[in-house]
Amino acid sequence: DDADTWEFSDDELGDVSRKLLTLYRDKIHAEREKMHHERQIGMNVSHELNTPVGIIKGYLDTVLADDNMPDALKRKFLVRAQQNTDRLANLVSDVSMVMRLQEGGAIDYGIINFRDMTAQIAEDIAQGHIADNMTFICDIPEDCLIKGHESLLTNALFNLIYNAAQYSGGTRISLLWKGENDGMHRFEFADNGCGVDDEHLDRLFDLFYRVDTGRARKNGGAGLGLPLVHRIITAMGGDITVENAPGGGLRFTFTLPAA
């Protein structure tokens, strides 16, 4: 049927061909970028795992090679090996969680009383001496109920606290409720430390990114804490941003769905 026949001029055919070629090139480029990203993650994971493994092996090899090593020195080496074993276990757990969240793994949601949860976190901080050099200020209303996964969310908040305690150089941490809008609670987590240079802000949630590589390695940081926070918050339907606060320190603003 002539009415159903599609006819194209040479110019139109050329334009279609160019568009198809552009789409194909874009697809190839995206695939290559994805492969490069995944390869880089794999290399970083391998490197981070090898560091504590090498330390553990060094201490154990030294202990086993010296039958006459004094008990005090032997215990010191075994304690260091145990500490790095814990670090390795935590690293494996964090990598596994990041990958699961990145791949859209299923999350079981429940209703969480955010005030009760953060009160428990405050008690754990004190008992565990996690931020002894800082005052933790928490202001959450009694009726603040959110929909989420309590264990993952606790993990995210502890990572924010640990990051501030280890790297901010500040004396105060605060977690504040800033209101509810369109079914989302908004919170602000901040410290009064030194903050970071603006050039680093956009990369703080990138896997394995360190603002100060040397200092992070010395303190055991692997560049996984803040990326994990970002993935947990977004997996629960919220969002999170970070900025340098006007008075100093980092300020994270995040949202979570109201129950």
Side-chain angles (χ1 to χ4, degrees):
D1 189 342
D2 290 341
D4 295 329
T5 302
W6 288 55
E7 295 184 0
F8 297 94
S9 67
D10 290 342
D11 288 342
E12 289 173 328
L13 285 173
D15 186 51
V16 169
S17 297
R18 283 190 293 273
K19 289 181 178 178
L20 289 174
L21 181 59
T22 298
L23 288 173
Y24 176 74
R25 286 174 175 170
D26 289 345
K27 178 177 174 58
I28 294 298
H29 178 72
E31 289 294 330
R32 286 177 177 172
E33 285 291 315
K34 181 181 178 182
M35 290 175 61
H36 173 74
H37 180 65
E38 291 176 347
R39 186 162 53 245
Q40 190 65 45
I41 289 177
M43 291 172 60
N44 286 333
V45 169
S46 177
H47 179 75
E48 295 298 337
L49 293 177
N50 281 334
T51 300
V53 167
I55 294 172
I56 294 167
K57 186 178 187 305
Y59 279 119
L60 294 181
D61 285 348
T62 303
V63 170
L64 292 173
D66 187 356
D67 292 335
N68 298 316
M69 178 180 289
D71 288 343
L73 183 59
K74 181 184 296 184
R75 175 172 175 76
K76 178 181 178 181
F77 282 8
L78 291 176
V79 167
R80 290 296 296 140
Q82 183 185 49
Q83 289 171 342
N84 278 276
T85 301
D86 292 340
R87 176 186 172 192
L88 178 61
N90 291 333
L91 182 59
V92 170
S93 177
D94 285 349
V95 169
S96 175
M97 188 180 298
V98 167
M99 294 299 110
R100 181 164 63 89
L101 291 173
Q102 189 160 301
E103 294 170 0
I107 297 177
D108 295 326
Y109 292 99
I111 297 177
I112 304 169
N113 185 311
F114 198 68
R115 178 171 179 170
D116 289 349
M117 192 188 84
T118 53
Q120 182 62 59
I121 288 174
E123 184 177 332
D124 291 343
I125 291 173
Q127 293 297 325
H129 304 285
I130 295 172
D132 282 348
N133 59 327
M134 307 183 82
T135 301
F136 182 46
I137 301 169
C138 192
D139 186 7
I140 308 294
E142 292 184 6
D143 59 348
C144 183
L145 302 179
I146 63 172
K147 181 181 179 182
H149 188 288
E150 185 166 354
S151 178
L152 287 178
L153 190 53
T154 299
N155 186 304
L157 293 177
F158 268 117
N159 270 294
L160 287 174
I161 293 163
Y162 181 81
N163 183 74
Q166 290 293 309
Y167 309 122
S168 74
T171 59
R172 186 182 71 251
I173 307 171
S174 61
L175 175 59
L176 310 176
W177 180 77
K178 305 300 288 186
E180 181 183 353
N181 187 38
D182 294 332
M184 302 294 288
H185 287 292
R186 186 164 62 91
F187 304 94
E188 179 185 286
F189 179 93
D191 64 70
N192 66 339
C194 58
V196 301
D197 292 340
D198 289 342
E199 64 189 84
H200 298 296
L201 286 174
D202 290 340
R203 300 202 59 193
L204 288 181
F205 296 129
D206 290 353
L207 285 173
F208 302 104
Y209 185 75
R210 297 182 179 91
V211 174
D212 183 341
T213 303
R215 182 177 65 177
R217 285 196 184 282
K218 182 178 179 181
N219 290 326
L224 282 171
L226 295 182
L228 186 55
V229 172
H230 181 271
R231 282 157 177 77
I232 289 173
I233 296 297
T234 55
M236 293 184 186
D239 61 62
I240 182 169
T241 59
V242 59
E243 62 185 341
N244 281 309
L250 285 178
R251 179 167 60 198
F252 295 85
T253 301
F254 63 95
T255 60
L256 291 168

